[in-house]
Amino acid sequence: MKRAYRGVGVALLACVVGALVCACGREPAPESPQPPAAAVTGGITIALLPERNVFEQKKRYQPLQDYLSRACGCAVTFKLLDNYQLIFSEIMESRVDGAFFGSMNGAISLLRGAVEMLARPVDLKGVSTYQGVIFTRAGSDVTIDPRTWRDKRIALVNKATTAGYLYPLALLRHSGYTADPAAFFRAMSFTGSHDAAMLSVFKGEADLGACKNTVYDEQLREHPEIAETLRVLGESAAVPSNGLGVRSGLDPALKAKLREALLGMHQNEDGQRVLRQIGTQRFIATDRADYEPVFAMARDAGVDLAGWPLRDLH
């Protein structure tokens, strides 16, 4: 199956929604043989969304939590919260110090002046970004031109994702349609996950869908029957993978220690061991400029990110 990755002239769009750390270690990494970091007063609490069973999630992040505690010279704790709106509220109330944000939610938090982005992971293929893809069934008359989408059924993820909502909406607006998007389609469904959006189109419940390319590629590798049935119509510009943002009022010394610890992990044996356990090559610096493709996409989509809710909206 060949991909037609470049669609109508919308070379702006960026899409969210790849996943951060795919950790696989089950035991905390051993103590570093190097001298401990200089002590820093206080501690750091980082919020996470529970992507799977809570106990499995804690096991996944334990090696990174332990490493950062040693490297920062203070307790670094990961805390599971239910949604980005709750995470944002706790950041504003200084109950947590930071979180790993998806690209759209990271852009929202940056615009609200609540967070400073520090770093994001580079996966084992050397990639630290992802893209949104629009896809349909082979043989469909649907193309990347949104005019062919009218009165079709579209499967999206939720309204707080770049790949699963912002990207297709930007394409639709760019084509000249500015009314209620729900009125443009025969049906607009929000599946809640990227793989579920793919499954909806695969099963013929929707005519086209949108998701992030990392999930799309993963599903094609694991399910050959999907690869034979679906085809990609177009992809967005690249946007940053889930990055760590900290509250703007965090103690500068703690912030510096955390940034230094993440960016230097690949330079020492202990850090390399933890990176292998979490399926990551290294962390790289991330700042507001990396989110420009998301800001551009939101402008095309007519979405006010600064006022957009941080929770999953169906």
Side-chain angles (χ1 to χ4, degrees):
M1 179 185 67
K2 296 183 178 179
R3 293 187 176 183
Y5 273 127
R6 299 294 171 189
V8 278
V10 197
L12 43 90
L13 306 175
C15 213
V16 165
V17 148
L20 163 71
V21 179
C22 314
C24 56
R26 292 187 173 271
E27 296 180 1
E31 293 292 328
S32 170
Q34 301 187 11
V40 179
T41 58
I44 302 171
T45 302
I46 298 172
L48 302 170
L49 289 181
E51 299 167 340
R52 50 184 53 79
N53 177 279
V54 171
F55 298 105
E56 287 299 318
Q57 185 88 333
K58 288 181 178 179
K59 286 182 180 179
R60 283 176 177 269
Y61 283 95
Q62 192 69 45
L64 182 59
Q65 175 177 291
D66 293 345
Y67 174 86
L68 293 177
S69 295
R70 295 192 296 272
C72 293
C74 66
V76 175
T77 305
F78 289 150
K79 178 180 181 180
L80 299 179
L81 294 175
D82 289 338
N83 58 65
Y84 281 117
Q85 186 65 51
L86 182 56
I87 288 174
F88 186 80
S89 297
E90 295 217 0
I91 284 178
M92 295 301 293
E93 296 167 3
S94 300
R95 298 174 63 182
V96 300
D97 300 301
F100 283 106
F101 288 96
S103 60
M104 185 171 176
N105 288 291
I108 292 170
S109 297
L110 283 168
L111 288 176
R112 293 184 182 182
V115 303
E116 175 185 344
M117 302 306 297
L118 298 185
R120 70 182 189 272
V122 178
D123 69 19
L124 296 178
K125 294 181 178 180
V127 178
S128 63
T129 58
Y130 65 92
Q131 293 138 304
V133 293
I134 304 291
F135 54 90
T136 188
R137 291 174 63 87
S140 167
D141 60 354
V142 175
T143 73
I144 192 61
D145 185 346
R147 289 175 295 184
T148 67
W149 303 356
R150 184 179 287 277
D151 296 325
K152 302 294 186 181
R153 300 164 299 167
I154 188 169
L156 303 173
V157 180
N158 63 61
K159 292 184 179 179
T161 63
T162 308
Y165 182 72
L166 200 58
Y167 172 44
L169 180 60
L171 287 176
L172 182 60
R173 298 297 196 208
H174 189 79
S175 73
Y177 182 83
T178 58
D180 178 8
F184 186 83
F185 298 96
R186 174 154 51 113
M188 176 186 285
S189 60
F190 292 94
T191 62
S193 69
H194 297 265
D195 56 348
M198 291 181 65
L199 185 61
S200 182
V201 177
F202 173 74
K203 294 168 63 177
E205 298 169 352
D207 302 302
L208 71 156
C211 72
K212 57 172 47 177
N213 71 316
T214 51
V215 175
Y216 189 93
D217 291 341
E218 178 183 86
Q219 291 298 307
L220 262 57
R221 287 193 301 269
E222 296 178 358
H223 304 284
E225 66 276 15
I226 294 181
E228 295 173 358
T229 303
L230 301 185
R231 63 185 178 94
V232 167
L233 301 173
E235 67 177 4
S236 75
V239 296
S241 299
N242 291 18
L244 176 62
V246 296
R247 59 184 176 85
S248 55
L250 181 64
D251 179 353
L254 286 174
K255 190 185 303 181
K257 280 289 184 182
L258 184 58
R259 180 189 285 112
E260 179 183 345
L262 287 168
L263 299 184
M265 286 185 71
H266 65 289
Q267 297 175 342
N268 66 81
E269 189 173 321
D270 188 23
Q272 291 169 8
R273 185 182 302 109
V274 174
L275 288 171
R276 289 194 296 270
Q277 288 179 299
I278 63 176
T280 299
Q281 277 191 11
R282 61 192 175 99
F283 282 86
I284 60 172
T286 301
D287 57 28
R288 184 187 177 102
D290 294 309
Y291 290 81
E292 285 302 325
V294 185
F295 300 144
M297 189 190 319
R299 288 192 294 270
D300 267 31
V303 169
D304 174 19
L305 287 177
W308 199 253
L310 280 154
R311 59 168 57 93
D312 293 349
L313 298 175
H314 290 192

